[in-house]
Amino acid sequence: MWSKLFVVPAVVLLSSLFFCEAHVSYDSRGISINGQKKILISGSIHYPRSTPEMWPDLIQKAKDGGVDVIQTYVFWNGHEPEPDNYYFEGRYDLVKFIKLVQQAGLYVHLRIGPYACAEWNFGGFPIWLKYVPGISFRTDNGPFKAAMQKFTTKIVSMMKAEKLYETQGGSIILSQIENEYGPIEWELGDPAKNYVQWAAKMAVDLGTGVPWIMCKQDDAPDPIINTCNGFYCDYFYPNKPFKPKIWTEAWTGWFTEFGGAVPYRPVEDMAFSVAKFFQTGGSYVNYYMYHGGTNFGRTAGGPFIATSYDYDAPIDEFGLLRQPKWGHLRDLHRAIKLCEPALLYGNHKVMTLGSSQEAHVYQTKSGACAAFLANYDQKSYATLSFWNGKHNLPPWSISILPDCKNVVYNTAMIGAQTTKVKMTTVSKDLSWNSYFEETAFHHGNLFSVFGLVEQINITRDNTDYLWYSTEVVIDSSEGFLKGGKWPVLTVLSAGHALHVFVNGQLAGTAYGRLEEPRLTFSNGVNLKVGVNQIELLSIAVGIPNVGTHFETWNAGVLGPVSLTGLNEGKRDLTWQKWTYQIGLKGEFLSLHTVTGSSSVEWMEGSSVGRGQPLTWYKTTFNAPDGDEPLALDMNTMSKGQIWINGQSIGRYWNEFKASGNCAPCNYAGWFDEKKCLRNCGEASQRWYHVPRSWLRPSGNLVTVFEEWGGDPSGISLVERQIESVCADIHEWQPTLVNWQLLSSGKVNKPLRPKAHLSCSAGQKISYIKFASFGTPQGSCQNYREGSCHAFHSYDVFQRYCVGQESCTVPITPEIFGGDPCPGVMKKLAVEAICS
């Protein structure tokens, strides 16, 4: 393969890769590892978004789901929070994470970047980088390139020292330099083109022995592989014919923003997009995300990105399987792998089978054959004639035939169970104490200047909070004092949220949103004769993670600030003397820690403040038994931050209700992040993950800082549990197991599928809520009988399933007492309660 590359102009990039030919290489059909070409299924799991204690289980669940490769970014700001001060411990123990992946028998795709985007704070860049003299981010700029090369080299050297590259016997088979730079290059022009050439050469010269990629980079220099990110990538082809077709980010859903509805992507469309990618020559797909996890602490970017990074991934934020997404994709991966010889070595032929239907056939000289039958019609079923067979396809679906004769899988026909989860309260009526944050300036980090300052320049992102304080003198002759309207205070801010206090009282709040983080506060304020204290608490909600010229981004009150409605008309406050305080008094005293919380006197019992702004709350709880995932229900709170035993869970913002169109969503048709939404009119995020590994058996300290005013008595600790499991399967639905039995010659007649139901470990099926073999209607938790129903449907599941953790029931008319409606295509729908 590499010999092909020596004819391209970028010969200078190749010297350090010559030795890796026997280890990891590529050609137009795929990646070869130690001489064996492979179809590769990959899944993104970002190590800092879960805990080290969760990693082995997440990796194993990915492997069980048919994943070959774990893909992750490297998070520069987590590893180098200060120049030359490196951190690779706890959730940032990158080496441990990669070694766990290798121990599980999987490969790693390491996206060094070091720009990540990823809805991560500042795109993964450390904030100190913004203040390197003369720097301009992600372009042909000396200071930036020097810092980028230094960190990239640091990571590569660490991987080599631990022998983690495949060429050293490790598991890293691919690396990535830069990230989604194509749109930025188009905007910045020639300096960006020079930067791309430099970044590619810099990366390859590091001599990792494995190929490098650049995603969304059509002009990636050879031998760098350019790859695709998106909801669909079947249309994509690399920039040279000797490079493989790689999909680095197949978006399984979308991120959640505070104030936005929660996106989800139907698994039928997810499977359709992946099957379509492979039918057009794809060789490597990565699910972004396979497990999204949690933006602990202040790691969420955006701004306005929620603490949950669930992403509607096959493994949910808490580490549980999201069914049927996980199971249906696992079945897809098995079907794709059956086609591997034909896909990698066969000749590709496309056949038109109708106005919106086609077949993709791969056939080798040795006889291997695989076919993909596609129905692109978004509304109608299609019956396709193919190789002397008839095949009925649902709308917007693809059937996979690993022998070109028999269907083993259809993207719109789900055989995996559906799982419904619930949040069960395990600890409520907690005994809360409160402490009021003072608006006056009584602690350190205090200074005064004339005029307004940019927030991040002052805080260096060590806190979300910056106080702006000034004085306004009101003369007794002011007309508004005699019964007129209050003067109007107007504040323009670059974002992201603002609380306005006048003489210690909350006068109002304003905030932006992801699409427009800037805000304007303009309200009447109650001023008195004499000196009035105006205090503005400016709040950052994550630093943006995508765009150009990172060094120019700003936040905070930049003005103008003015008062109108005075005798003089308008009074400009922008350039008068302002006093600044970095952070909160509670942060300065470390009230979120056991030691810090003992340094102040807390209110108890009936004196505990409720509905008050700027209030700290604390309580303790004992860890519940078991291993179910835990969360805090924050539905009665407004906006703030949460800590458990001194570790930050993240930001909460329940008062910012989700907007959007949450109408019913059909899987068929093109998907985008606005198509399928939940939680409209509710909090974008209600439950906040509490890792069990952060807990002690008893006396766990919970600290909450509430900005607006909430009721802590409504906070409860909950467990995430499986509530019920469902199956919804057609009587002749194809399955991989049945195809294997038929192709082996062990049976010679068509086989019916089976329904598989499984609760989580420690649970059992307690009763059958619904069962119907016939023409049932509805969906899981909302089934109803149709016009055709086998009266013994319940009996079968009562006999085989109740009292069991899992059960399997064949879908045959005989087991349900006979065919309830001959000549009608039937299906089974069942819901079992787990407890």
Side-chain angles (χ1 to χ4, degrees):
M1 183 284 305
W2 290 110
S3 60
K4 289 184 180 180
L5 299 184
F6 282 99
V7 302
V8 304
V11 177
V12 69
L13 299 178
L14 301 169
S15 58
S16 60
L17 290 173
F18 191 14
F19 68 90
C20 75
E21 186 171 6
H23 298 279
V24 184
S25 59
Y26 65 76
D27 63 17
S28 62
R29 302 301 284 269
I31 303 289
S32 294
I33 304 171
N34 294 324
Q36 183 178 358
K37 196 176 300 180
K38 296 175 179 285
I39 292 289
L40 293 171
I41 308 295
S42 175
S44 287
I45 300 176
H46 295 161
Y47 52 98
R49 283 176 158 145
S50 53
T51 65
E53 292 78 10
M54 295 173 66
W55 293 345
D57 183 62
L58 295 174
I59 294 165
Q60 186 60 49
K61 284 174 176 173
K63 182 178 182 178
D64 294 343
V67 166
D68 308 301
V69 184
I70 299 297
Q71 182 190 97
T72 184
Y73 284 117
V74 177
F75 296 87
W76 188 356
N77 54 9
H79 293 303
E80 195 179 4
E82 299 292 339
D84 298 317
N85 180 17
Y86 294 102
Y87 183 78
F88 290 93
E89 300 175 17
R91 290 184 294 112
Y92 291 93
D93 193 339
L94 175 60
V95 168
K96 178 179 181 179
F97 180 76
I98 293 175
K99 287 183 175 180
L100 286 172
V101 174
Q102 184 174 7
Q103 290 170 17
L106 302 181
Y107 300 114
V108 172
H109 179 190
L110 193 64
R111 304 176 78 182
I112 298 176
Y115 166 64
C117 186
E119 292 71 58
W120 190 264
N121 196 50
F122 210 38
F125 288 128
I127 198 67
W128 56 260
L129 195 63
K130 182 178 178 181
Y131 304 102
V132 172
I135 199 162
S136 182
F137 281 57
R138 302 180 73 198
T139 189
D140 191 9
N141 171 265
F144 178 78
K145 291 192 297 183
M148 173 178 170
Q149 182 169 7
K150 181 180 178 182
F151 181 75
T152 303
T153 303
K154 169 77 175 179
I155 296 299
V156 169
S157 298
M158 179 180 288
M159 299 301 103
K160 286 182 178 180
E162 297 288 341
K163 300 188 183 304
L164 295 179
Y165 286 104
E166 174 69 24
T167 52
Q168 302 172 294
S171 58
I172 302 173
I173 59 168
L174 287 171
S175 290
Q176 178 178 306
I177 195 70
E178 249 300 334
N179 185 46
E180 298 184 326
Y181 191 69
I184 305 299
E185 179 185 6
W186 182 86
E187 187 170 342
L188 298 183
D190 288 341
K193 294 180 183 297
N194 296 336
Y195 167 68
V196 168
Q197 295 291 328
W198 169 85
K201 183 179 186 305
M202 181 271 289
V204 176
D205 283 350
L206 290 172
T208 63
V210 303
W212 289 82
I213 70 146
M214 285 181 164
C215 62
K216 295 178 75 170
Q217 191 67 50
D218 292 342
D219 63 349
D222 301 331
I224 306 289
I225 307 168
N226 64 304
T227 66
C228 184
N229 294 356
F231 290 116
Y232 306 91
C233 278
D234 54 283
Y235 64 88
F236 167 82
Y237 290 93
N239 61 15
K240 292 292 175 63
F242 53 76
K243 297 179 182 180
K245 180 172 176 172
I246 293 177
W247 191 359
T248 30
E249 291 187 15
W251 298 332
T252 56
W254 200 246
F255 58 82
T256 299
E257 63 180 276
F258 286 126
V262 178
Y264 66 96
R265 186 176 189 183
V267 68
E268 299 95 327
D269 180 69
M270 185 78 249
F272 172 83
S273 68
V274 173
K276 197 176 183 189
F277 176 73
F278 281 110
Q279 80 174 9
T280 53
S283 63
Y284 175 112
V285 65
N286 174 75
Y287 293 100
Y288 187 100
M289 300 292 296
Y290 200 80
H291 164 73
T294 305
N295 293 318
F296 294 114
R298 299 171 51 254
T299 59
F304 299 96
I305 299 300
T307 296
S308 171
Y309 200 67
D310 181 86
Y311 223 87
D312 198 43
I315 304 175
D316 73 14
E317 176 186 2
F318 300 88
L320 299 180
L321 300 182
R322 172 170 278 112
Q323 296 280 36
K325 184 168 275 189
W326 182 88
H328 193 47
L329 294 177
R330 174 205 57 197
D331 295 343
L332 169 64
H333 305 153
R334 291 173 175 174
I336 293 292
K337 288 302 181 80
L338 289 174
C339 303
E340 189 173 44
L343 289 174
L344 292 176
Y345 300 102
N347 292 320
H348 179 205
K349 181 181 179 181
V350 182
M351 302 168 57
T352 299
L353 302 179
S355 60
S356 300
Q357 297 79 31
E358 65 182 14
H360 288 255
V361 182
Y362 290 83
Q363 198 166 13
T364 67
K365 294 180 180 179
S366 61
C369 188
F372 295 76
L373 306 184
N375 177 20
Y376 303 133
D377 194 299
Q378 298 181 21
K379 297 180 179 179
S380 302
Y381 275 75
T383 300
L384 306 184
S385 297
F386 176 76
W387 282 26
N388 300 319
K390 297 277 189 184
H391 303 278
N392 194 32
L393 273 69
W396 198 254
S397 73
I398 295 174
S399 287
I400 299 175
L401 296 71
D403 57 1
C404 287
K405 298 177 183 178
N406 299 292
V407 174
V408 301
Y409 182 90
N410 179 272
T411 58
M413 300 177 71
I414 299 174
Q417 75 174 23
T418 294
T419 300
K420 296 296 184 179
V421 297
K422 62 180 179 179
M423 293 301 206
T424 302
T425 300
V426 293
S427 184
K428 61 179 180 178
D429 299 325
L430 300 169
S431 179
W432 290 94
N433 299 340
S434 66
Y435 174 80
F436 293 108
E437 175 79 18
E438 301 175 37
T439 59
F441 297 85
H442 293 301
H443 63 275
N445 299 324
L446 186 70
F447 67 96
S448 297
V449 296
F450 288 93
L452 299 167
V453 299
E454 195 278 331
Q455 181 167 342
I456 306 303
N457 288 342
I458 304 302
T459 66
R460 297 300 171 103
D461 198 35
N462 288 311
T463 173
D464 282 354
Y465 305 102
L466 180 64
W467 284 101
Y468 295 67
S469 180
T470 193
E471 294 179 349
V472 172
V473 178
I474 296 297
D475 190 87
S476 60
S477 64
E478 286 290 347
F480 76 87
L481 296 171
K482 301 172 184 177
K485 293 182 178 179
W486 287 353
V488 173
L489 176 67
T490 300
V491 182
L492 272 65
S493 170
H496 308 127
L498 183 72
H499 301 313
V500 177
F501 294 84
V502 176
N503 297 323
Q505 300 299 309
L506 181 63
T509 292
Y511 47 90
R513 59 184 313 121
L514 178 62
E515 295 80 8
E516 180 48 81
R518 294 174 298 181
L519 61 94
T520 298
F521 173 89
S522 189
N523 278 8
V525 292
N526 187 11
L527 302 177
K528 64 184 181 181
V529 174
V531 177
N532 294 266
Q533 197 73 25
I534 306 295
E535 294 161 317
L536 312 177
L537 181 58
S538 180
I539 306 158
V541 192
I543 303 179
N545 52 268
V546 63
T548 58
H549 299 297
F550 280 53
E551 69 280 359
T552 66
W553 295 351
N554 51 40
V557 180
L558 302 182
V561 177
S562 63
L563 269 174
T564 56
L566 304 176
N567 289 350
E568 66 201 78
K570 179 177 180 181
R571 185 183 301 182
D572 190 351
L573 309 181
T574 306
W575 291 103
Q576 66 183 45
K577 184 179 179 181
W578 289 83
T579 300
Y580 298 92
Q581 178 179 279
I582 300 171
L584 306 169
K585 182 177 182 180
E587 291 178 308
F588 183 75
L589 296 174
S590 297
L591 294 187
H592 61 285
T593 67
V594 173
T595 302
S597 67
S598 63
S599 65
V600 300
E601 184 175 348
W602 295 75
M603 306 298 288
E604 300 179 358
S606 60
S607 299
V608 170
R610 290 179 173 85
Q612 298 297 314
L614 303 187
T615 305
W616 292 84
Y617 297 100
K618 73 170 184 175
T619 191
T620 58
F621 69 92
N622 297 332
D625 295 334
D627 58 4
E628 290 88 353
L630 300 175
L632 282 176
D633 183 349
M634 301 295 292
N635 205 41
T636 60
M637 303 300 283
S638 295
K639 182 183 185 299
Q641 298 185 34
I642 318 166
W643 294 262
I644 298 286
N645 292 328
Q647 298 196 70
S648 175
I649 288 179
R651 304 180 181 100
Y652 68 90
W653 198 346
N654 289 51
E655 192 65 25
F656 199 174
K657 303 304 183 185
S659 61
N661 180 9
C662 291
C665 177
N666 188 340
Y667 79 87
W670 299 105
F671 180 83
D672 63 38
E673 67 275 16
K674 300 295 185 183
K675 180 179 179 181
C676 302
L677 301 172
R678 297 189 179 102
N679 284 32
C680 290
E682 303 174 13
S684 301
Q685 181 179 349
R686 175 175 176 176
W687 293 286
Y688 292 79
H689 183 203
V690 177
R692 277 191 175 265
S693 60
W694 290 10
L695 301 183
R696 300 184 290 264
S698 62
N700 295 284
L701 175 65
V702 183
T703 311
V704 175
F705 176 65
E706 170 60 47
E707 297 173 15
W708 288 9
D711 182 2
S713 65
I715 299 175
S716 61
L717 184 71
V718 299
E719 287 182 341
R720 190 169 177 86
Q721 301 174 337
I722 292 178
E723 180 178 16
S724 65
V725 291
C726 300
D728 193 330
I729 304 174
H730 292 272
E731 62 176 331
W732 290 111
Q733 191 161 314
T735 69
L736 179 100
V737 172
N738 289 350
W739 176 84
Q740 289 174 323
L741 289 171
L742 288 167
S743 62
S744 68
K746 294 179 181 179
V747 296
N748 57 7
K749 62 179 182 178
L751 296 173
R752 294 178 183 265
K754 297 177 180 179
H756 302 274
L757 299 175
S758 181
C759 299
S760 62
Q763 287 186 317
K764 291 185 178 180
I765 296 173
S766 56
Y767 72 97
I768 305 303
K769 179 180 177 182
F770 180 89
S772 178
F773 177 68
T775 57
Q777 306 293 313
S779 58
C780 187
Q781 294 189 322
N782 292 291
Y783 287 127
R784 61 187 184 277
E785 290 181 10
S787 58
C788 170
H789 169 70
F791 293 106
H792 292 289
S793 299
Y794 279 85
D795 299 344
V796 175
F797 288 95
Q798 291 282 358
R799 183 167 66 250
Y800 284 100
C801 300
V802 172
Q804 305 298 315
E805 182 180 307
S806 61
C807 63
T808 300
V809 174
I811 304 174
T812 61
E814 295 77 18
I815 202 169
F816 298 109
D819 192 335
C821 42
V824 174
M825 180 63 72
K826 292 165 286 295
K827 71 173 185 175
L828 169 75
V830 58
E831 180 179 3
I833 302 301
C834 298
S835 60

